[in-house]
Amino acid sequence: MKRLLQALLALAVVAVAGAAVLFWSGIGTQTLYTQIDNTRCVEIAPDAGMTHEYTLPAVDAEGSAEQITFRTERVLREGAYLKLTVAPLRGVTAWEEVQPDTLPQAAREKLSK
């Protein structure tokens, strides 16, 4: 019984350490692209300086689409294209405005529809 408890404790420690590494290391981070549509922005109660939340369609470089939700400290420019950095457990960790001609072709085609 004592060995079973030790094994379970060791497994729990390894799982927590693995989750911490995944959470902070950027392993599995992907880049997605989206276009700002301010009709899909809601004002939220301030949380860590963030006051607005967007839920928008986003696509990767190959054109695979998904819904993404992220928070900002302000309303963003209508129609702007964003490059999003998305981590597995944390969601959107960074975004930057980009010009349409810098988007991968598949992403540009999906977002322009």
Side-chain angles (χ1 to χ4, degrees):
M1 183 68 161
K2 186 175 180 182
R3 284 188 177 235
L4 178 61
L5 289 176
Q6 288 174 337
L8 288 175
L9 180 60
L11 184 61
V13 168
V14 168
V16 168
V21 167
L22 185 62
F23 188 78
W24 293 110
S25 71
I27 294 172
T29 299
Q30 70 180 82
T31 300
L32 298 176
Y33 302 90
T34 192
Q35 186 175 21
I36 295 300
D37 174 358
N38 284 323
T39 64
R40 304 194 61 191
C41 175
V42 295
E43 195 167 341
I44 59 171
D47 180 25
M50 303 301 173
T51 57
H52 295 81
E53 183 174 87
Y54 285 88
T55 300
L56 299 166
V59 296
D60 63 15
E62 288 77 39
S64 297
E66 62 183 83
Q67 286 287 100
I68 194 84
T69 298
F70 63 98
R71 294 177 175 186
T72 66
E73 68 280 354
R74 60 187 165 84
V75 174
L76 302 177
R77 188 173 64 82
E78 179 70 27
Y81 288 93
L82 298 184
K83 177 181 175 182
L84 308 170
T85 302
V86 184
L89 298 175
R90 300 186 312 173
V92 176
T93 58
W95 58 266
E96 66 177 298
E97 186 172 336
V98 295
Q99 295 303 312
D101 59 345
T102 64
L103 297 174
Q105 182 65 28
R108 189 176 327 130
E109 288 172 3
K110 287 272 187 163
L111 291 174
S112 66
K113 292 182 179 180

